Amino acid sequence: MSIGVESARVPNADQEQKRAALGHIKEAWAEAWAEGIDGDFLAQASLFCALTELVATYGEDATARFAEGLPRRIAAGEFSIVLSRQ
């Protein structure tokens, strides 16, 4: 799998791994928050860990190209969570 593969093209097994990984990350965040660690510090540390893993896996150039697309994706709301009121 390459950096930036659209989720619609990712096989179900990959989607399940992504879901499981996100669950583990959320648990770690909840534990850190419970210990009083600020969300901004958690976000910065998470980004650092994610980027170092991407560099180790794909190299600096591919990771830099991936990061170049982030402003567009952020502005498009890809990382925004819309909460629905029930």
Side-chain angles (χ1 to χ4, degrees), residues 31-84:
E31 288 179 30
W33 242 338
E35 292 177 12
I37 298 174
D38 185 81
D40 184 55
F41 294 131
L42 288 168
Q44 290 182 45
S46 296
L47 285 170
F48 178 81
C49 287
L51 290 170
T52 57
E53 180 61 26
L54 290 173
V55 167
T57 302
Y58 300 104
E60 285 86 0
D61 291 338
T63 303
R65 283 191 303 275
F66 169 77
E68 287 172 353
L70 289 175
R72 175 187 45 78
R73 294 171 65 192
I74 293 166
E78 187 173 331
F79 301 101
S80 298
I81 299 174
V82 178
L83 301 176
S84 64

Side-chain angles (χ1 to χ4, degrees), residues 1 9-21:
M1 178 169 55
R9 298 187 310 186
V10 177
N12 286 336
D14 285 354
Q15 287 290 62
E16 288 302 315
Q17 281 197 17
K18 285 182 178 184
R19 245 187 296 278

